[in-house]
Amino acid sequence: MRLFIAAELPEEVLDALVETQAALRDTVRGRYTAPDSLHLTLAFLGEVSAARLDEVASALERGCAGHGPVEVRLGALGSFGRRRSAVLWQGLTGGPELASLAADVRGALEDAGFAFDEKPFLAHITLMRAADLSRGELPMPGMARGMLDTVTLFKSDLSGARPSYEPLHVVSLA
């Protein structure tokens, strides 16, 4: 099964992201991320045997141990890829607490023998894929702040018309 670990976003942040997506629709064509799929990925594991789910959940618990809720704030828009087929995202700032949480989750996964996407952690939320950014200026993104208070192990299913994410294990940051 295809797995990833993500922090679920507070309502204030989700609302601002949806507003940004609405403003983008006037100028940017592409595949928009559904509002119920917006999240902050901490680690992408890819294919993992179902027999190892308990091990992943335990590693997630260890990685989150000692972390409390993290205050985050939406930042600037950014992109990966080419201007006519980019991934458009909005940054998220959370200070050293967010970077520490991501590092500890990744460290616990590594200690448990799990491989994951080893690109350096960049706090961002994907707003759309296959974005055509060649049509000029982007609107100002919505700004908001809130508290990240849960980290979730998700199963990702890409077989439908759009990706679907099923929560398998949730850790509360206390």
Side-chain angles (χ1 to χ4, degrees):
M1 64 182 55
R2 190 171 189 262
L3 302 178
F4 68 93
I5 293 172
E8 297 190 59
L9 301 170
E11 200 65 37
E12 308 88 346
V13 169
L14 283 172
D15 290 346
L17 291 166
V18 169
E19 287 175 20
T20 298
Q21 286 180 316
L24 287 165
R25 289 187 194 280
D26 292 336
T27 58
V28 182
R29 280 189 242 142
R31 289 190 329 265
Y32 284 83
T33 304
D36 64 348
S37 294
L38 295 167
H39 60 269
L40 172 64
T41 301
L42 299 177
F44 177 76
L45 287 87
E47 290 297 322
V48 175
S49 165
R52 297 198 70 196
L53 274 179
D54 287 342
E55 291 176 72
V56 178
S58 293
L60 176 57
E61 292 280 348
R62 287 191 303 279
C64 291
H67 287 277
V70 177
E71 184 176 12
V72 294
R73 179 179 332 148
L74 284 171
L77 295 176
S79 65
F80 302 125
R82 295 175 287 172
R83 292 220 30 95
R84 292 192 186 272
S85 182
V87 171
L88 182 63
W89 49 265
Q90 187 163 357
L92 196 67
T93 59
E97 296 84 9
L98 182 57
S100 175
L101 174 63
D104 288 350
V105 166
R106 289 168 167 231
L109 290 169
E110 189 173 21
D111 290 347
F114 289 100
F116 54 90
D117 181 358
E118 292 185 13
K119 291 178 194 159
F121 176 69
L122 174 65
H124 70 282
I125 297 102
T126 299
L127 299 176
M128 65 185 306
R129 297 182 186 284
D132 182 352
L133 302 176
S134 65
R135 298 177 73 192
E137 293 294 313
L138 296 175
M140 287 297 297
M143 296 295 176
R145 64 176 51 196
M147 300 298 285
L148 297 180
D149 58 8
T150 58
V151 178
T152 304
L153 170 63
F154 284 98
K155 175 183 171 185
S156 173
D157 181 1
L158 303 179
S159 65
R162 69 176 185 97
S164 67
Y165 307 131
E166 176 186 348
L168 300 176
H169 185 78
V170 179
V171 176
S172 204
L173 301 175

